[in-house]
Amino acid sequence: MGDKANTAAGAAGRALTADRPTAVRNVVLVGHSGSGKTTLVEALAQAAGALNRAGRVEDGGTVSDYDEIEHRQHRSVQLSLVPLGWDGYKINLLDTPGYADFVGELRAGLRAADAALFVVSAAQEADAVAASTRMIWEECAAVGMPRAIVVTHLDTARTDFGELTEVCASLFGHDDPDAVLPLYLPVRGEEGADGHAPATGLVGLLSERIFDYSTGVRQENPPDEGQRELIAEARARLIEGIIAESEDETLMDRYLGGEPIDVKTLVDDLEKAVARGAFHPVLAAAPAADGGTQGLGTVELLELITGGFPSPLEHEPPAVTTPDGRPRPPIACDPDGPLVAEVVKTAADPYVGRVSLVRVFSGTLRPDETVHVSGHGLADRGHEDHDVDERIGGLTSPFGKQQRPMAHCIAGDLACVARLGRAETGDTISAKDDPLLMEPWSMPEPLLPLAVQAHGKADEDRLSQGLARLVAEDPTLRLEHNQDTRQVVLWCLGEAHQDVVLERLRGRYGVQVDAVPYKVSLRETFGGASAGRGRHVKQSGGHGQYAICEIEVEPLPAGSGIEFVDKVVGGAVPRQFITSVEKGVRAQAARGVAAGYPLVDIRVTLRDGKAHSVDSSDAAFQTAGALALREAAAEVAVHLLEPVAEVQVLVPDEYVGPVMSDLSGRRGRVVGTDQAGPGRTMVRAEVPEIEIGRYAIDLRSVSHGTGRFDRAYARHEPMPPHLAEKVREQA
């Protein structure tokens, strides 16, 4: 134990550099907001000797000193890296936000990691744990991430470790609750005045040893008779759970036959089952007591990470192609292989500019070399496809506000890279003479619109640059320049995401913006046939303007667009001006004729007109065509069309009723429901888009944070008359 602490402490103050992939462990901490992930990171850092007894780094800060927004909002809003040294291993801890709005940061952390610590707070009620953690667990399961469960806040009076373990088994064990079992049980101290007995140590169920943390440094002792009784039943269940997942099919028969199974065999099988994602051990952890250096369970966690979690060699890398899509052989986690790395996080530093957090999957990344940067597949979110060569700056390893230089970064390791001016989150970094592109990870679809405009003239010039930087950092943002409503729209994941976006624009990039009401792209169409005459005749000395045209307009089926038909006879409108009339009609249709929205689904027939041999011109007939369409619109009812979206809502079965009722209240039509796995239902509906602008927020309330949805444009339909009248009044 002492050797491990000394090894870690010797690494403090300088960058940890791994020399082989087997000595690296990349671990992402996930869990609901407030579960104690950041506190656990700091406790592990202190136990590893990277922090002093006061829990501070050398400059007086903490490992959580990352972002001013996080300090103001008192919650994590972005992925952060904390590297530690333990027993000859380099451990990269990736701390992720727990709030649903920042699931993009969670997925980036899952991409960079090889295993996960799933953090659950004992201070939360069981129902709250169920509602807020199930979706995060499924995010991990979707990518096949090996997981261990860590219970925090054991010092609270409501804590019941046994009950919470059973909750986790029922939530996460699914078909096999015995795949979620504790490796240790807490040992309680003396009861205080409030009747609460704090946890002072742990019982190792496999080792049958007591690990006492009451002094702030772990001490190992044999159990007394009372503690042996506590161990027996839980130990038997744990052994059976490990053997059930063993690759040795004879082990269960031997065990049931009464043959004792040695601890080494059990530990080896446990490590293999954890690495395969077949078994999820439950552990407990707490910060060190005042004056101590090791918090409850921190040493056990570090030992599990180094001994039970897979190395990068055991993690199958993503597929790669050439930038133009040609297949390439699979890459391997080999420091001597071709360079393939990925930007998993982009941030702006006020002193060094853009800093990219990079996971190296193959090869070795070195400072000051020229690399190829490829980014493809996110053009719909404001990320243009790009292939550029760039010279990188220094490689560093972050620790709080410090950046410690690294000599190199081998396959399996992570590093921060400076001066990658074009690289964005999700981009692939490869050798300039052998450019490659990695298969991207799944990005959540942003469904909450935020329309913004520059606060003043001085901000207009900086707005486009600030937006470009924001989108480069955060691929969960989608930037839209809506041509119909002439709005700049940032599509976000939720209100908290919106708040962070606005604060970064104002604080980080110095762009003062105002949030304005989001406008839905409506359309107009004729309710019946009509006719109009456009007369544009002006004479005020010199060259005049003369154009007269007569048109008929009739509605067409939805989706027909605008048809223009020429039925002029006798040359009443000269041939060269026919297209001028059409241009004028189409230009006026784009501007609208009733409420300022584009006019669609009509046939315009040019029947007659007059021209002048001298004063007629292209511009005159364009004006006449526009006037004729406006006159025709004045003689008939013009309907407003609103976009209707196909919405699919995935919720637990118990929330199907409230979701369907809520959709009906939004003028939605439920078109069907489908079973979508155990206890889940997919509700399919068609809902006017004007009614679901804030649905990303409202669904969380209706489903207690367990629902998710997607939407796709279906068609435009006539808006109810009373709503259409309100829109006209506003226009």
Side-chain angles (χ1 to χ4, degrees):
M1 175 57 230
D3 292 340
K4 297 177 183 180
N6 291 336
T7 299
R14 56 184 170 81
L16 296 165
T17 303
D19 57 358
R20 63 192 188 284
T22 53
V24 178
R25 295 294 183 270
N26 298 311
V27 181
V28 60
L29 283 85
V30 302
H32 57 282
S33 184
S35 61
K37 296 183 295 297
T38 302
T39 302
L40 178 59
V41 168
E42 294 180 352
L44 292 174
Q46 189 168 1
L51 300 179
N52 59 32
R53 286 183 176 270
R56 316 294 288 184
V57 294
E58 288 88 335
D59 64 359
T62 69
V63 294
S64 58
D65 287 331
Y66 295 107
D67 191 284
E68 291 299 324
I69 296 176
E70 292 183 327
H71 286 292
R72 284 194 291 271
Q73 296 193 4
H74 301 290
R75 63 182 170 196
S76 297
V77 301
Q78 64 180 1
L79 176 70
S80 56
L81 169 65
V82 177
L84 305 175
W86 178 261
D87 198 22
Y89 290 87
K90 180 182 181 183
I91 303 173
N92 290 314
L93 296 178
L94 292 150
D95 188 10
T96 63
Y99 199 65
D101 281 14
F102 307 108
V103 66
E105 302 289 319
L106 166 64
R107 292 187 182 178
L110 293 174
R111 178 69 158 211
D114 305 307
L117 287 177
F118 199 91
V119 184
V120 177
S121 171
Q124 297 272 340
E125 297 292 344
D127 291 344
V129 173
S132 56
T133 60
R134 188 182 302 167
M135 302 300 289
I136 302 175
W137 184 269
E138 291 175 358
E139 290 279 350
C140 297
V143 296
M145 183 65 67
R147 281 147 283 163
I149 300 166
V150 185
V151 178
T152 59
H153 297 148
L154 282 171
D155 53 344
T156 63
R158 289 182 291 172
T159 300
D160 187 326
F161 182 79
E163 178 186 354
L164 196 56
T165 300
E166 293 299 323
V167 169
C168 290
S170 63
L171 283 175
F172 311 139
H174 297 301
D175 298 333
D176 186 10
D178 285 340
V180 180
L181 292 171
L183 293 183
Y184 302 88
L185 296 178
V187 175
R188 298 291 182 180
E190 296 181 1
E191 287 189 5
D194 59 356
H196 173 58
T200 59
L202 298 172
V203 177
L205 296 182
L206 291 181
S207 64
E208 297 183 278
R209 303 293 287 175
I210 304 298
F211 302 105
D212 183 7
Y213 282 89
S214 60
T215 64
V217 177
R218 188 177 82 156
Q219 296 178 347
E220 185 175 335
N221 302 306
D224 58 32
E225 287 304 316
Q227 290 167 332
R228 288 186 186 279
E229 294 178 6
L230 176 68
I231 293 172
E233 182 179 350
R235 186 174 193 270
R237 187 179 177 191
L238 174 62
I239 291 174
E240 291 176 8
I242 294 172
I243 291 175
E245 301 297 338
S246 174
E247 295 177 338
D248 184 351
E249 297 180 358
T250 69
L251 204 58
M252 182 61 77
D253 292 335
R254 290 159 51 195
Y255 176 72
L256 294 177
E259 179 182 337
I261 309 299
D262 64 278
V263 173
K264 184 180 184 306
T265 299
L266 292 172
V267 170
D268 288 344
D269 280 348
L270 170 67
E271 292 172 355
K272 292 174 184 176
V274 171
R276 293 199 318 271
F279 189 83
H280 310 295
V282 183
L283 298 91
D290 291 343
T293 57
Q294 294 173 341
L296 178 76
T298 53
V299 174
E300 286 73 21
L301 269 177
L302 291 168
E303 290 177 345
L304 175 69
I305 289 170
T306 55
F309 278 175
S311 75
L313 290 175
E314 300 169 73
H315 184 173
E316 183 178 351
V320 296
T321 65
T322 61
D324 58 4
R326 287 181 286 117
R328 285 291 301 265
I331 59 173
C333 184
D334 180 3
D336 297 322
L339 177 62
V340 184
E342 188 172 33
V343 179
V344 295
K345 176 66 184 174
T346 308
D349 187 280
Y351 302 106
V352 299
R354 186 176 295 183
V355 177
S356 304
L357 176 59
V358 170
R359 160 80 189 248
V360 180
F361 287 92
S362 173
T364 299
L365 188 64
R366 292 181 172 83
D368 302 317
E369 67 177 332
T370 301
V371 298
H372 186 81
V373 178
S374 298
H376 294 256
L378 289 174
D380 63 323
R381 301 197 183 192
H383 300 255
E384 294 183 358
D385 289 353
H386 52 274
D387 287 285
V388 296
D389 289 340
E390 287 200 76
R391 185 179 179 85
I392 67 175
L395 302 182
T396 58
S397 180
F399 200 81
K401 292 181 178 179
Q402 302 176 9
Q403 290 287 341
R404 300 168 177 173
M406 293 177 65
H408 59 265
C409 183
I410 64 168
D413 203 357
L414 289 95
C416 289
V417 182
R419 296 214 311 261
L420 276 176
R422 290 290 304 277
E424 302 180 355
T425 301
D427 281 2
T428 303
I429 297 173
S430 54
K432 67 174 183 177
D433 55 352
D434 187 17
L436 296 171
L437 181 67
M438 297 192 77
E439 181 182 50
W441 71 81
S442 173
M443 304 285 186
E445 186 66 28
L447 296 170
L448 183 64
L450 172 66
V452 297
Q453 65 183 23
H455 181 72
K457 186 69 175 176
D459 298 301
E460 291 180 1
D461 297 334
R462 296 195 296 267
L463 180 58
S464 59
Q465 185 179 19
L467 291 174
R469 290 179 176 177
L470 264 182
V471 173
E473 289 184 27
D474 187 355
T476 64
L477 272 178
R478 177 157 58 87
L479 176 62
E480 176 190 4
H481 295 274
N482 193 304
Q483 300 302 315
D484 293 338
T485 62
R486 293 178 287 279
Q487 283 189 318
V488 175
V489 183
L490 283 165
W491 289 85
C492 304
L493 296 174
E495 278 187 307
H497 194 198
Q498 286 184 343
D499 292 342
V500 169
V501 165
L502 290 174
E503 192 161 352
R504 283 183 176 158
L505 271 175
R506 295 163 182 163
R508 183 176 292 176
Y509 302 120
V511 184
Q512 294 300 314
V513 295
D514 298 320
V516 296
Y518 168 69
K519 298 178 182 177
V520 171
S521 298
L522 303 180
R523 299 285 187 268
E524 301 174 357
T525 195
F526 275 44
S530 184
R533 184 172 188 265
R535 183 177 185 276
H536 183 62
V537 178
K538 289 187 177 181
Q539 186 68 50
S540 57
H543 189 65
Q545 299 180 55
Y546 190 97
I548 299 174
C549 64
E550 297 179 3
I551 63 171
E552 293 178 352
V553 184
E554 57 186 312
L556 293 177
S560 300
I562 296 179
E563 292 183 15
F564 184 86
V565 180
D566 168 25
K567 289 194 175 180
V568 174
V569 295
V573 177
R575 306 309 305 170
Q576 68 269 29
F577 295 134
I578 299 294
T579 56
S580 302
V581 176
E582 182 178 0
K583 286 180 184 177
V585 167
R586 291 187 180 277
Q588 184 61 55
R591 294 190 295 268
V593 293
Y597 294 100
L599 182 67
V600 296
D601 301 334
I602 57 170
R603 178 183 291 122
V604 178
T605 303
L606 179 60
R607 290 289 187 181
D608 201 358
K610 292 182 181 180
H612 189 277
S613 59
V614 176
D615 292 339
S616 290
S617 65
D618 171 66
F621 270 98
Q622 285 193 46
T623 303
L627 291 171
L629 185 63
R630 284 157 57 184
E631 183 175 290
E635 301 299 322
V636 72
V638 176
H639 294 162
L640 282 183
L641 305 176
E642 62 179 342
V644 174
E646 293 178 347
V647 177
Q648 297 187 96
V649 187
L650 179 64
V651 289
D653 292 344
E654 59 264 33
Y655 297 114
V656 170
V659 165
M660 292 175 66
S661 176
D662 179 72
L663 290 172
S664 297
R666 298 171 186 271
R667 298 190 285 125
R669 297 184 295 274
V670 176
V671 297
T673 59
D674 301 301
Q675 203 63 32
R680 289 298 183 93
T681 298
M682 181 72 76
V683 180
R684 293 178 287 108
E686 294 180 344
V687 191
E689 288 191 8
I690 203 168
E691 300 286 351
I692 55 173
R694 291 177 55 85
Y695 193 59
I697 300 168
D698 299 335
L699 177 61
R700 276 185 201 158
S701 176
V702 172
S703 67
H704 292 245
T706 61
R708 61 179 64 178
F709 81 105
D710 57 50
R711 57 190 278 185
Y713 170 77
R715 61 190 171 276
H716 273 72
E717 288 184 353
M719 180 179 280
H722 68 285
L723 295 178
E725 188 58 34
K726 289 182 179 179
V727 172
R728 290 192 182 94
E729 290 174 359
Q730 293 172 356

